[in-house]
Amino acid sequence: MPLDRLLSRAAVRLRAAGSPSPRLDAEVLLCHALGCDRTWLYTWGDREATTLVRARYEALVAARAEGHPVAYLTGEREFWGLALETHSSTLIPRPESETLVDVALALAPVAVGRLLDLGTGTGAIALAFASERPGWSVVGIDHQTEAVALARRNAERLAIGNAAFLVSDWFTALVGERFDVIVANPPYVAADDPHLVNGDVRFEPVSALVAGSDGLDDLRHIVAAACDHLVPGGWLALEHGHAQGAAVREQLSVAGYVEVASCHDLAGHERVSLGRVPGLR
C-alpha cells in the first residue's frame, strides 16, 4: 500500500475517533514509524509501505485512536523550537506555556543572572530560557526523579550547558539560594474539573495537574515561599488557568509583591501573573 493511502486511511480513522487534528496526528505518527521528516513524506508519499512499517504505524494509530497523546507515542514534542524528549511521567509541553518563557525573557534583559524553574518536568521552560540567555545560570527542580533525569537528558541532547536540574519538593533543596527570577508552571487544575476525563490529560500524571479543590493550592504555596528565594527586586512569574488571573494577582498583592500584573497568551486568555519583591537588585 502506498504511504499516501496509508496516511489518508489513518486520518479518517483518527477523525472518527475524535482527534482534534487527525491529519497532523496521522502525519507525525507515520514520520515516526518511518524515521523521516514530513518533507520526505510529502516528497515520497507514493512509495510502498513495507510490512514492518505498516504494522508499526497501524499500532501507533490504534493507540492514538484510543486517546493516547501523540507526544507519548513518539516520545518527542517541540517547544520553543526545541525538540524535547517526552515521557508519561511528566506533562506534555504546551504552546500556551511559551507565554511564560516570553515573560521570563522580558524580566531578564541583562546578560547575567539566575533563574529558577519550579516543577520543571521535561525541562521545557528552563531550557527554552537558557537557550536564549546563555549568560544566565538556570536551575530546574522537580520532585519526581524521573522528570529530573528526563530534563537532564534533554539538556544534554540539546547541548545547553547553562541549565542544571535537581530533585526538590518545591524549595526544600534550595535553602539559602536566591534568584533574580523564579518561574513556575505548577499544577493548577481543580480536583473536580470535568476536563480531566477528556483528551490528552487522561494519560498525564494527575499529580502534575491537580492542586486541591480550586486548583490554587500549589500557587498559594509558591507565592508565600518564593519571597525567601528572590533577591531584592527579583520577579516571580506564574502560569495558571485562564480564569485564575484575578485570584493569583490577589495572592501576590497580599504577600507583598509589587508591580503585580497578568499577561495574556495568544488565545487572549490571562495565562501568566507576576510580581516583584520590593527593593533594588
Side-chain angles (χ1 to χ4, degrees):
M1 181 182 296
L3 294 172
D4 284 342
R5 186 180 174 194
L6 193 63
L7 180 62
S8 296
R9 287 178 54 176
V12 170
R13 180 177 181 182
L14 294 179
R15 184 177 296 108
S19 168
S21 53
R23 178 72 185 194
L24 177 60
D25 291 355
E27 290 180 359
V28 171
L29 292 175
L30 185 51
C31 287
H32 180 66
L34 288 165
C36 72
D37 59 25
R38 290 165 70 194
T39 300
W40 187 96
L41 185 61
Y42 298 152
T43 305
W44 303 106
D46 58 345
R47 291 193 174 187
E48 290 289 319
T50 66
T51 301
L52 179 61
V53 165
R54 183 172 175 178
R56 184 184 303 153
Y57 183 51
E58 289 178 348
L60 289 167
V61 172
R64 179 56 181 155
E66 292 174 356
H68 292 270
V70 172
Y72 289 162
L73 295 174
T74 64
E76 187 172 283
R77 171 60 63 89
E78 183 174 306
F79 181 87
W80 200 264
L82 305 174
L84 298 171
E85 179 187 344
T86 58
H87 188 269
S88 58
S89 63
T90 66
L91 287 184
I92 300 165
R94 289 173 167 79
E96 54 264 34
S97 293
E98 293 190 353
T99 305
L100 183 56
V101 180
D102 280 323
V103 170
L105 291 171
L107 299 176
V110 296
V112 296
R114 299 189 76 206
L115 177 136
L116 171 65
D117 175 31
L118 296 167
T120 198
T122 61
I125 292 165
L127 293 170
F129 180 90
S131 70
E132 300 284 351
R133 293 288 186 272
W136 279 60
S137 174
V138 177
V139 176
I141 65 97
D142 202 290
H143 74 285
Q144 295 282 359
T145 56
E146 298 93 336
V148 171
L150 176 61
R152 287 172 176 167
R153 289 198 301 273
N154 278 324
E156 183 176 357
R157 72 198 292 243
L158 293 167
I160 296 175
N162 58 319
F165 298 95
L166 306 172
V167 177
S168 180
D169 185 4
W170 297 129
F171 296 98
T172 55
L174 301 169
V175 176
E177 297 279 349
R178 289 187 179 267
F179 300 85
D180 299 283
V181 179
I182 296 176
V183 298
N185 176 19
Y188 55 72
V189 179
D192 61 353
D193 192 308
H195 295 96
L196 290 170
V197 297
N198 298 317
D200 288 355
V201 296
R202 291 174 293 163
F203 298 88
E204 294 181 278
V206 174
S207 63
L209 292 165
V210 175
S213 60
D214 61 359
L216 295 170
D217 283 3
D218 288 321
L219 286 160
R220 291 189 188 97
H221 175 75
I222 293 168
V223 168
C227 295
D228 293 334
H229 295 277
L230 284 164
V231 301
W235 287 92
L236 173 65
L238 301 165
E239 180 174 333
H240 51 69
H242 67 88
Q244 294 174 327
V248 176
R249 289 194 300 275
E250 181 180 6
Q251 291 173 27
L252 288 164
S253 296
V254 169
Y257 293 83
V258 297
E259 299 181 47
V260 173
S262 294
C263 302
H264 295 78
D265 60 22
L266 292 178
H269 301 305
E270 289 186 336
R271 184 59 59 186
V272 174
S273 292
L274 64 153
R276 184 174 63 81
V277 172
L280 297 176
R281 277 188 272 186

